[in-house]
PDB file of all heavy atoms in Angstrom:
ATOM      1  N   GLN A 175      18.966  12.548  -2.159  1.00 89.00           N
ATOM      2  CA  GLN A 175      18.897  13.905  -1.675  1.00 89.00           C
ATOM      3  C   GLN A 175      17.570  14.220  -0.964  1.00 89.00           C
ATOM      4  O   GLN A 175      16.749  15.145  -1.252  1.00 89.00           O
ATOM      5  CB  GLN A 175      18.886  14.840  -2.930  1.00 89.00           C
ATOM      6  CG  GLN A 175      20.313  14.792  -3.550  1.00 89.00           C
ATOM      7  CD  GLN A 175      20.102  14.986  -5.087  1.00 89.00           C
ATOM      8  OE1 GLN A 175      19.117  15.203  -5.560  1.00 89.00           O
ATOM      9  NE2 GLN A 175      21.361  15.064  -5.615  1.00 89.00           N
ATOM     10  N   GLY A 176      17.328  13.400   0.106  1.00 88.00           N
ATOM     11  CA  GLY A 176      16.241  13.709   0.978  1.00 88.00           C
ATOM     12  C   GLY A 176      14.935  13.176   0.480  1.00 88.00           C
ATOM     13  O   GLY A 176      13.869  13.260   1.070  1.00 88.00           O
ATOM     14  N   ARG A 177      14.894  12.712  -0.772  1.00 96.00           N
ATOM     15  CA  ARG A 177      13.625  12.222  -1.303  1.00 96.00           C
ATOM     16  C   ARG A 177      13.701  10.700  -1.517  1.00 96.00           C
ATOM     17  O   ARG A 177      14.681  10.027  -1.529  1.00 96.00           O
ATOM     18  CB  ARG A 177      13.516  12.729  -2.909  1.00 96.00           C
ATOM     19  CG  ARG A 177      13.086  14.121  -3.024  1.00 96.00           C
ATOM     20  CD  ARG A 177      12.675  14.386  -4.442  1.00 96.00           C
ATOM     21  NE  ARG A 177      13.372  13.593  -5.493  1.00 96.00           N
ATOM     22  CZ  ARG A 177      14.532  13.848  -6.065  1.00 96.00           C
ATOM     23  NH1 ARG A 177      15.148  14.895  -5.659  1.00 96.00           N
ATOM     24  NH2 ARG A 177      15.046  13.102  -6.865  1.00 96.00           N
ATOM     25  N   LEU A 178      12.382  10.126  -1.577  1.00 98.00           N
ATOM     26  CA  LEU A 178      12.394   8.635  -1.879  1.00 98.00           C
ATOM     27  C   LEU A 178      12.989   8.423  -3.342  1.00 98.00           C
ATOM     28  O   LEU A 178      12.707   9.271  -4.168  1.00 98.00           O
ATOM     29  CB  LEU A 178      10.895   8.088  -1.818  1.00 98.00           C
ATOM     30  CG  LEU A 178      10.193   8.318  -0.593  1.00 98.00           C
ATOM     31  CD1 LEU A 178       8.764   7.683  -0.839  1.00 98.00           C
ATOM     32  CD2 LEU A 178      10.875   7.379   0.569  1.00 98.00           C
ATOM     33  N   HIS A 179      13.632   7.438  -3.492  1.00 98.00           N
ATOM     34  CA  HIS A 179      14.199   7.068  -4.881  1.00 98.00           C
ATOM     35  C   HIS A 179      13.569   5.770  -5.289  1.00 98.00           C
ATOM     36  O   HIS A 179      12.749   5.755  -6.180  1.00 98.00           O
ATOM     37  CB  HIS A 179      15.708   7.116  -4.871  1.00 98.00           C
ATOM     38  CG  HIS A 179      16.337   6.871  -6.215  1.00 98.00           C
ATOM     39  ND1 HIS A 179      15.969   7.640  -7.263  1.00 98.00           N
ATOM     40  CD2 HIS A 179      17.125   5.899  -6.751  1.00 98.00           C
ATOM     41  CE1 HIS A 179      16.529   7.298  -8.362  1.00 98.00           C
ATOM     42  NE2 HIS A 179      17.212   6.129  -8.065  1.00 98.00           N
ATOM     43  N   HIS A 180      13.947   4.698  -4.625  1.00 98.00           N
ATOM     44  CA  HIS A 180      13.299   3.549  -4.871  1.00 98.00           C
ATOM     45  C   HIS A 180      12.207   3.344  -3.823  1.00 98.00           C
ATOM     46  O   HIS A 180      12.443   3.742  -2.521  1.00 98.00           O
ATOM     47  CB  HIS A 180      14.252   2.316  -4.672  1.00 98.00           C
ATOM     48  CG  HIS A 180      15.426   2.321  -5.663  1.00 98.00           C
ATOM     49  ND1 HIS A 180      15.314   2.268  -7.041  1.00 98.00           N
ATOM     50  CD2 HIS A 180      16.677   2.511  -5.401  1.00 98.00           C
ATOM     51  CE1 HIS A 180      16.446   2.371  -7.678  1.00 98.00           C
ATOM     52  NE2 HIS A 180      17.441   2.548  -6.606  1.00 98.00           N
ATOM     53  N   MET A 181      11.069   2.820  -4.113  1.00 98.00           N
ATOM     54  CA  MET A 181      10.020   2.621  -3.151  1.00 98.00           C
ATOM     55  C   MET A 181       9.885   0.976  -2.839  1.00 98.00           C
ATOM     56  O   MET A 181       9.157   0.409  -3.604  1.00 98.00           O
ATOM     57  CB  MET A 181       8.649   3.297  -3.732  1.00 98.00           C
ATOM     58  CG  MET A 181       7.471   2.971  -3.011  1.00 98.00           C
ATOM     59  SD  MET A 181       7.153   4.082  -1.557  1.00 98.00           S
ATOM     60  CE  MET A 181       7.965   3.175  -0.182  1.00 98.00           C
ATOM     61  N   ILE A 182      10.402   0.628  -1.841  1.00 98.00           N
ATOM     62  CA  ILE A 182      10.560  -0.815  -1.566  1.00 98.00           C
ATOM     63  C   ILE A 182       9.748  -1.255  -0.305  1.00 98.00           C
ATOM     64  O   ILE A 182       9.148  -2.275  -0.173  1.00 98.00           O
ATOM     65  CB  ILE A 182      11.931  -1.263  -1.502  1.00 98.00           C
ATOM     66  CG1 ILE A 182      12.738  -0.966  -2.914  1.00 98.00           C
ATOM     67  CG2 ILE A 182      12.000  -2.762  -1.433  1.00 98.00           C
ATOM     68  CD1 ILE A 182      12.152  -1.486  -4.098  1.00 98.00           C
ATOM     69  N   PHE A 183       9.931  -0.518   0.812  1.00 98.00           N
ATOM     70  CA  PHE A 183       9.449  -0.908   2.008  1.00 98.00           C
ATOM     71  C   PHE A 183       8.432   0.139   2.610  1.00 98.00           C
ATOM     72  O   PHE A 183       8.602   1.363   2.455  1.00 98.00           O
ATOM     73  CB  PHE A 183      10.624  -0.956   3.083  1.00 98.00           C
ATOM     74  CG  PHE A 183      11.707  -1.858   2.767  1.00 98.00           C
ATOM     75  CD1 PHE A 183      12.955  -1.275   2.514  1.00 98.00           C
ATOM     76  CD2 PHE A 183      11.504  -3.249   2.743  1.00 98.00           C
ATOM     77  CE1 PHE A 183      13.994  -2.131   2.072  1.00 98.00           C
ATOM     78  CE2 PHE A 183      12.601  -4.005   2.277  1.00 98.00           C
ATOM     79  CZ  PHE A 183      13.780  -3.475   2.118  1.00 98.00           C
ATOM     80  N   GLY A 184       7.415  -0.392   3.374  1.00 97.00           N
ATOM     81  CA  GLY A 184       6.485   0.526   4.054  1.00 97.00           C
ATOM     82  C   GLY A 184       7.287   1.488   5.036  1.00 97.00           C
ATOM     83  O   GLY A 184       6.917   2.576   5.156  1.00 97.00           O
ATOM     84  N   ALA A 185       8.332   0.977   5.605  1.00 97.00           N
ATOM     85  CA  ALA A 185       9.187   1.801   6.578  1.00 97.00           C
ATOM     86  C   ALA A 185       9.783   3.057   6.032  1.00 97.00           C
ATOM     87  O   ALA A 185      10.113   3.945   6.671  1.00 97.00           O
ATOM     88  CB  ALA A 185      10.299   0.957   7.146  1.00 97.00           C
ATOM     89  N   GLN A 186       9.708   3.137   4.613  1.00 98.00           N
ATOM     90  CA  GLN A 186      10.268   4.368   4.019  1.00 98.00           C
ATOM     91  C   GLN A 186       9.224   5.486   4.069  1.00 98.00           C
ATOM     92  O   GLN A 186       9.403   6.647   3.996  1.00 98.00           O
ATOM     93  CB  GLN A 186      10.543   4.096   2.651  1.00 98.00           C
ATOM     94  CG  GLN A 186      11.715   3.216   2.281  1.00 98.00           C
ATOM     95  CD  GLN A 186      11.792   2.948   0.763  1.00 98.00           C
ATOM     96  OE1 GLN A 186      11.331   2.117   0.255  1.00 98.00           O
ATOM     97  NE2 GLN A 186      12.320   3.812  -0.021  1.00 98.00           N
ATOM     98  N   LEU A 187       7.863   5.049   4.463  1.00 98.00           N
ATOM     99  CA  LEU A 187       6.801   6.146   4.497  1.00 98.00           C
ATOM    100  C   LEU A 187       6.753   6.633   5.919  1.00 98.00           C
ATOM    101  O   LEU A 187       5.903   6.215   6.621  1.00 98.00           O
ATOM    102  CB  LEU A 187       5.538   5.444   3.990  1.00 98.00           C
ATOM    103  CG  LEU A 187       5.476   4.997   2.551  1.00 98.00           C
ATOM    104  CD1 LEU A 187       4.250   4.116   2.289  1.00 98.00           C
ATOM    105  CD2 LEU A 187       5.569   6.194   1.691  1.00 98.00           C
TER     106      LEU A 187
END
Side-chain angles (χ1 to χ4, degrees):
Q175 291 148 1
R177 280 195 331 273
L178 299 178
H179 182 59
H180 304 293
M181 172 81 274
I182 304 297
F183 304 111
Q186 292 175 263
L187 297 170

